[in-house]
Amino acid sequence: MNALQPNTDESKVPAYTLPDPLIDIDGIRIDNHQDWITRRRPQILSLFEEHVYGKTPSASVAMSIAGTTLSPQALNGKAVRKEVSLRLKGKRNELYLDLLMYLPLGQEGPVPLFVGLNFHGNYTIHPDRELALTGKWVRNSERIGTTHNQASEGARGGFAQKWAVERILERGYGIATLYCGDLDPDYDDGFQNGVHPLFYGAGQTMPAANEWGTIGAWAWGLSRVMDYFELDDSVDQQRIAVMGHSRLGKTALWAGAQDQRFALVISNNSGCGGAALSRRRFGETVALINDRFPHWFCRNFRQYNENEQALPVDQHMLIALIAPRPVYIASAEQDLWCDPLGEFLALKHAGPVYRLLGTGGLEVAVKPPVGQPVLDTMAYHMRPGEHDVTAYDWERYLDFADYHFGHTTGKAMP
Ligand code: GCU
């Protein structure tokens, strides 16, 4: 098979054996909670750092709040809108992140919240006329009419359908989002822009082969947003769900794996390098993703182009790093590029770790039919239709959050 020709024929999926998340690097079976936490989990985390996403710097940069704009009666009186500018200061340069939050009006006390990065700028997630256009580089999009890598008034609210802001608020949750390009613009510039240079040592001009790429930087940014939430008493820090779609779904999983402050992790159509098993080589493969997006992963990941069986991990182990916290993997029926079956199987094969930790795994033998979600600590659905985030997806995530957060404004799960 040509490496750059995707396969979408199930009969051509190669035979493969997955690494066992419960057998450690010395071949010892992990059979108790303690050994998982102290031995095996750190091993798996460092394998993902070394071979897939790259290591996140352990150094920290100073973050401060550069300004907050509060609008107590936004969206026709439905929400409080907060725009927070976060300043990151490295040794040689600094960077600003613009966080947007809508919080439901009239809720007593801190609110549970969904947080996720967006693809094109905060102003594209809602037609709200008060939202500032981003001044940063943006991806051109025919769909919303952005050209010359600049935000434009016509693109305001261009992706509002993917965000269900009103519905989230109605169900008593807040929503927070940050443009991924604030952290690292989504193109391969050899890591000269974005957050990477904030961490370069003397003479360093790019991350080493086992250091973070763009997905690593995006995930790191979600943790900085979490740091901010710890200072904001309108947010319930114990009830924060991280959610992401597609490349940002890969990011949500990696953020949730590394930062255990995220209480729920939701991956929407995340595919290769996200929830889908790499060894299946169905739809997008390691070679294809590294070819088109050389900046997303660490350079070491390229060793596994057409060589997935040599990977010391597969994506079920990424999901296992989230255990025992609730995790939701969602696929779309026509989204073969993302390998819906591979996404389901990764979730299923993370099940033994969840069971070891006492929460139960994914108790279904085969992938549930389209439109029949399985909702438990491990949740899955396959929605009809294409690669997207829809109202259907959000309703499920809200049910899932209600169930695990014991939130009372929405309907409970059966
Ligand atoms: C491309 C890429 C996927 C990614 C998707 C997206 O299709 O190949 O890996 O998930 O873009 O982010 O929309």
Side-chain angles (χ1 to χ4, degrees):
M1 205 191 322
N2 175 342
L4 299 181
Q5 275 310 311
N7 169 46
T8 52
D9 177 348
E10 194 58 39
S11 72
K12 297 205 173 102
V13 169
Y16 60 88
T17 307
L18 293 177
D20 188 331
L22 292 176
I23 297 193
D24 84 357
I25 47 177
D26 301 318
I28 297 167
R29 173 154 289 282
I30 302 297
D31 60 5
N32 65 77
H33 190 281
Q34 180 68 11
D35 285 351
W36 168 259
I37 300 293
T38 59
R39 283 171 62 91
R40 186 57 173 149
R41 188 179 188 284
Q43 283 176 1
I44 296 178
L45 194 57
S46 82
L47 291 170
F48 274 103
E49 289 172 346
E50 190 65 30
H51 300 273
V52 183
Y53 303 103
K55 278 191 216 306
T56 305
S58 49
S60 56
V61 290
M63 185 171 87
S64 55
I65 299 173
T68 303
T69 313
L70 193 70
S71 168
Q73 290 283 329
L75 308 184
N76 300 321
K78 288 194 204 102
V80 175
R81 185 185 55 238
K82 249 189 209 186
E83 290 173 283
V84 184
S85 168
L86 299 171
R87 176 171 181 254
L88 299 172
K89 185 152 174 42
K91 285 189 212 113
R92 285 177 279 166
N93 53 344
E94 61 182 20
L95 211 75
Y96 288 84
L97 312 178
D98 293 321
L99 177 67
L100 168 66
M101 298 163 72
Y102 288 111
L103 304 173
L105 208 62
Q107 285 263 125
E108 289 289 313
V111 291
L113 176 144
F114 290 87
V115 59
L117 300 176
N118 65 73
F119 281 70
H120 294 268
N122 296 346
Y123 80 108
T124 61
I125 76 134
H126 196 281
D128 184 347
R129 304 215 68 82
E130 306 292 320
L131 295 177
L133 267 55
T134 176
K136 309 253 171 74
W137 177 97
V138 296
R139 178 169 292 282
N140 292 336
S141 161
E142 253 176 63
R143 179 159 157 199
I144 60 169
T146 41
T147 56
H148 303 95
N149 302 115
Q150 282 170 4
S152 73
E153 188 54 44
R156 183 180 293 285
F159 288 107
Q161 278 192 337
K162 291 190 196 292
W163 286 86
V165 169
E166 270 77 4
R167 189 64 188 133
I168 294 169
L169 293 166
E170 252 168 46
R171 300 237 346 217
Y173 292 87
I175 173 91
T177 187
L178 175 72
Y179 170 44
C180 66
D182 280 7
L183 292 154
D184 193 23
D186 192 5
Y187 64 92
D188 181 18
D189 74 329
F191 302 106
Q192 300 313 301
N193 59 21
V195 296
H196 299 88
L198 295 180
F199 295 90
Y200 290 161
Q204 189 179 9
T205 55
M206 69 187 304
N210 67 347
E211 289 179 339
W212 59 345
T214 295
I215 290 178
W218 291 340
W220 176 88
L222 284 165
S223 288
R224 301 297 68 78
V225 171
M226 194 71 196
D227 295 344
Y228 164 75
F229 291 150
E230 291 186 338
L231 306 172
D232 185 334
D233 56 16
S234 54
V235 175
D236 182 345
Q237 292 155 38
Q238 308 304 316
R239 295 191 296 171
I240 292 177
V242 60
M243 182 274 182
H245 169 58
S246 208
R247 67 197 67 182
L248 301 178
K250 309 180 206 300
T251 305
L253 289 170
W254 181 227
Q258 294 176 96
D259 189 337
Q260 301 195 57
R261 293 175 296 175
F262 294 111
L264 294 188
V265 182
I266 302 167
S267 141
N268 190 87
N269 306 180
S270 62
C272 181
L277 291 175
S278 301
R279 280 170 173 73
R280 279 174 44 81
R281 305 180 69 169
F282 186 100
E284 188 172 34
T285 60
V286 172
L288 283 162
I289 206 165
N290 281 329
D291 180 60
R292 289 180 58 217
F293 306 100
H295 55 298
W296 281 0
F297 301 88
C298 69
R299 287 200 300 289
N300 279 348
F301 194 43
R302 298 180 197 169
Q303 296 166 21
Y304 304 100
N305 290 350
E306 288 193 274
N307 188 24
E308 293 84 350
Q309 68 288 352
L311 264 168
V313 289
D314 210 319
Q315 299 305 106
H316 61 308
M317 293 158 82
L318 179 67
I319 298 172
L321 291 175
I322 296 162
R325 290 164 295 152
V327 61
Y328 201 132
I329 304 296
S331 308
E333 189 182 14
Q334 290 164 31
D335 187 16
L336 298 185
W337 185 242
C338 278
D339 186 13
L341 180 57
E343 294 179 322
F344 167 78
L345 289 172
L347 184 66
K348 188 160 174 55
H349 289 294
V353 175
Y354 275 80
R355 276 193 287 272
L356 178 72
L357 302 185
T359 64
L362 187 67
E363 309 307 337
V364 288
V366 293
K367 184 156 70 61
V370 179
Q372 290 187 29
V374 176
L375 298 175
D376 208 317
T377 303
M378 308 186 88
Y380 179 83
H381 74 240
M382 179 144 91
R383 163 180 60 69
E386 296 176 356
H387 186 71
D388 200 357
V389 196
T390 67
Y392 175 93
D393 297 314
W394 274 111
E395 284 303 318
R396 305 288 83 69
Y397 304 151
L398 287 159
D399 289 351
F400 184 61
D402 277 2
Y403 181 65
H404 291 292
F405 289 161
H407 200 48
T408 48
T409 51
K411 79 173 170 11
M413 285 199 321

